Amino acid sequence: MSPNRPRPGSRASNVDIDLEVVPVRAASGPGTETIIELSFKTDTQDDARTLRDKAIGTLRSKGWLAPADVLETDLILTRY
């Protein structure tokens, strides 16, 4: 399959998705925790909200989403 074609069952759209991975010093001291942030760049706020809700649902269903919101900047300032 061509890398420029959408996967079967997906819909083509003009959405940019940025993924940021940040290792942060663990609260317990040694080691790190990994914070991952997804950003959706869409034409409308409603489109971004729909993608956000879908991503949250998918990540929760797989047990991959932390049960609390994390503000990356606050976390970094607290840990360093």
Side-chain angles (χ1 to χ4, degrees), residues 3-74:
N4 296 326
R5 294 183 56 196
R7 284 186 331 223
S10 69
R11 99 181 152 86
S13 63
N14 292 326
V15 177
D16 289 329
I17 301 174
D18 291 332
L19 175 73
E20 183 178 0
V21 179
V22 181
V24 178
R25 183 182 297 164
S28 61
T32 60
E33 296 175 23
T34 302
I35 305 299
I36 300 173
E37 179 178 287
L38 287 174
S39 300
F40 301 102
K41 313 255 186 312
T42 63
D43 292 334
T44 70
Q45 188 173 3
D46 286 340
D47 288 345
R49 186 177 296 117
T50 298
L51 288 168
R52 176 187 180 274
D53 292 345
K54 186 174 181 176
I56 287 172
T58 299
L59 295 172
R60 278 191 180 141
S61 73
K62 296 181 179 292
W64 295 346
L65 186 65
D69 286 334
V70 175
L71 295 175
E72 181 182 331
T73 303
D74 290 344

